[in-house]
Amino acid sequence: MMGMNPRQMKKLMRQMGIKMEELEGVEEVIIRLENKEIILKDPVITIITAQGEKSYQIVPGKEEVRAVVRVSEDDIKLVMEQAGVDYDTAKKALEEAEGDLAEAIIKLTGG
């Protein structure tokens, strides 16, 4: 296959039942892991279909990694009770405090 021009390669792949197409307009791809997210900005994505199965080839433009803080429902309820705030406010404060209950409560109560 080396030395084959792109047109010949496409023809051969078509004969083998392999279809390739580029996915247009993709702004980002997010890969969520247990404790972080990998954000791929402006990726080039190729969809390869072979024998009825789709595969996605992703070539990232810019890569960004973010830590993800997971907070428990019990912690959110405790912050809600102690700070006298609603669910979303308590959850956001806990996430900003990276799960630290005391810090979240102090931030919300101002003391």
Side-chain angles (χ1 to χ4, degrees), residues 9 13-14 16-18 20 43-44 50 66 79 83 90 103-104 106:
M9 180 66 87
M13 289 178 69
R14 200 170 34 249
M16 293 172 34
I18 300 172
M20 291 179 67
V44 175
R66 279 191 285 215
V79 172
E103 183 180 331
I106 290 169

Side-chain angles (χ1 to χ4, degrees), residues 14-68:
R14 200 170 34 249
Q15 288 172 345
M16 293 172 34
I18 300 172
K19 179 181 170 189
M20 291 179 67
E21 62 182 296
E22 191 169 315
L23 190 59
E24 299 291 333
V26 179
E27 295 177 11
E28 68 182 17
V29 171
I30 301 173
I31 301 170
R32 288 194 175 93
L33 303 169
E34 187 175 326
N35 61 350
K36 67 180 174 180
E37 292 179 341
I38 301 170
I39 297 98
L40 308 174
K41 301 279 188 177
D42 299 317
V44 175
I45 299 178
T46 305
I47 302 171
I48 303 165
T49 306
Q51 298 177 350
E53 295 289 326
K54 283 186 180 181
S55 296
Y56 293 82
Q57 177 182 349
I58 303 169
V59 179
K62 181 179 155 194
E63 182 177 321
E64 178 184 321
V65 178
R66 279 191 285 215
V68 175

Side-chain angles (χ1 to χ4, degrees), residues 56-104:
Y56 293 82
Q57 177 182 349
I58 303 169
V59 179
K62 181 179 155 194
E63 182 177 321
E64 178 184 321
V65 178
R66 279 191 285 215
V68 175
V69 178
R70 305 237 188 263
V71 294
S72 74
E73 292 296 314
D74 289 340
D75 287 351
I76 295 170
K77 288 176 186 174
L78 180 64
V79 172
M80 287 172 63
E81 291 169 8
Q82 294 295 315
V85 296
D86 64 36
Y87 181 91
D88 291 333
T89 304
K91 183 177 179 185
K92 183 178 179 191
L94 272 168
E95 289 170 347
E96 289 174 357
E98 296 182 1
D100 186 320
L101 288 165
E103 183 180 331

